[in-house]
Amino acid sequence: MSANIISLLYEATLQTLYMVAMSSIIGTIFGLPLGVFLATSQKGEMLSAPTVNRVLGLLVNATRSVPFIILVVAIIPFTRAIVGTSIGTAAAIVPLTVAAIPFIARLIENAIRDVDSGLIEAARAMGATPFQIIRKVLIPEALPGIMLGLTLAVVSLIGYSAMVGAVGGEGLGDLGIRYGYQRFMPDVMLAVVVILVVLVQLVQSAGERLAARVDKRAPRNRGQ
């Protein structure tokens, strides 16, 4: 493999990491409060707003049901309005983020709903407000599940980032298509696949370690 190809692989890997990192951060900023609201706003719950909950739930489900490659094409006008172009790394971040927000929201909603209802009732009995319960009970108790959910989201975004290379995005997917497929260079395609597998393994391992570290129920080894 030539030095030029190695340089292209390095640059494409950085582009992929940038796309995934930015879409993960922005997706979490919007997806976290959305997921918390969905988990606490059904009828009779702390932030009871059943109509809003149903509308947001429908929007989340509708966005998640659209195949990612179709979503990328469908929101091209929105992407152009945000970043001024529909190709390149910056443009790829927009559909990645749009796909990440509802996905992260549902994962966080599920993590919040897994919290023992007895803890919520105990906090209510002590006079805690809904927002105090969310901040001091729900999120801390759901943190291991949230971490695992975010890990799953990042892994999915790595796959999406490779897919977006087919429609003008940069990164490893674009490199694999242009060199590995169109120029019949199987060594480049193999290198791209190996790098993606390594990235996924690293993210998965790191996420599981962080989840275990913040899990209050996990046994701790003492005196080591």
Side-chain angles (χ1 to χ4, degrees), residues 124-146:
R124 279 177 169 170
M126 291 187 291
T129 66
F131 288 102
Q132 287 175 328
I133 295 173
I134 290 170
R135 185 168 58 89
K136 296 183 178 181
V137 178
L138 290 181
I139 292 180
E141 290 295 325
L143 197 53
I146 291 174

Side-chain angles (χ1 to χ4, degrees), residues 1 3-4 19 38 41 48-49 81 103 120 161 168 181-182 198 221-222:
M1 190 176 293
N4 181 52
M19 288 188 290
L38 288 172
S41 60
S48 182
F103 186 48
I120 300 173
S161 72
Y181 178 70
Q182 295 177 348
V198 170
N221 293 327
R222 301 180 182 276

Side-chain angles (χ1 to χ4, degrees), residues 1 5-6 8-14 16-17 158 171-173 175 187-203:
M1 190 176 293
I5 294 298
I6 293 174
L8 288 173
L9 283 167
Y10 176 73
E11 182 180 356
T13 301
L14 292 181
T16 292
L17 290 173
I158 292 174
L172 290 167
L175 185 67
D187 56 334
V188 175
M189 183 65 79
L190 177 61
V192 167
V193 171
V194 169
I195 292 172
L196 289 172
V197 169
V198 170
L199 289 178
V200 167
Q201 291 298 322
L202 289 174
V203 169

Side-chain angles (χ1 to χ4, degrees), residues 7-92:
S7 176
L8 288 173
L9 283 167
Y10 176 73
E11 182 180 356
T13 301
L14 292 181
Q15 290 168 345
T16 292
L17 290 173
Y18 176 70
M19 288 188 290
V20 171
M22 291 303 297
S23 56
S24 298
I25 292 169
I26 300 172
T28 302
I29 289 172
F30 288 96
L32 176 59
L34 178 57
V36 171
F37 181 79
L38 288 172
T40 58
S41 60
Q42 290 186 358
K43 186 176 180 180
E45 294 182 331
M46 286 183 294
L47 303 178
S48 182
T51 301
V52 178
N53 182 285
R54 282 195 296 270
V55 171
L56 288 177
L58 287 173
L59 290 174
V60 166
N61 291 338
T63 306
R64 289 185 61 200
S65 67
V66 178
F68 179 70
I69 196 70
I70 295 176
L71 176 67
V72 173
V73 176
I75 67 169
I76 282 177
F78 177 68
T79 301
R80 284 180 179 153
I82 297 294
V83 298
T85 181
S86 61
I87 60 174
T89 304

Side-chain angles (χ1 to χ4, degrees), residues 143-144 147 206-218 220:
L143 197 53
M147 294 301 303
E208 289 174 354
R209 285 174 179 264
L210 285 173
R213 183 168 295 182
V214 300
D215 191 350
K216 298 177 182 178
R217 299 164 299 179
R220 306 292 182 183

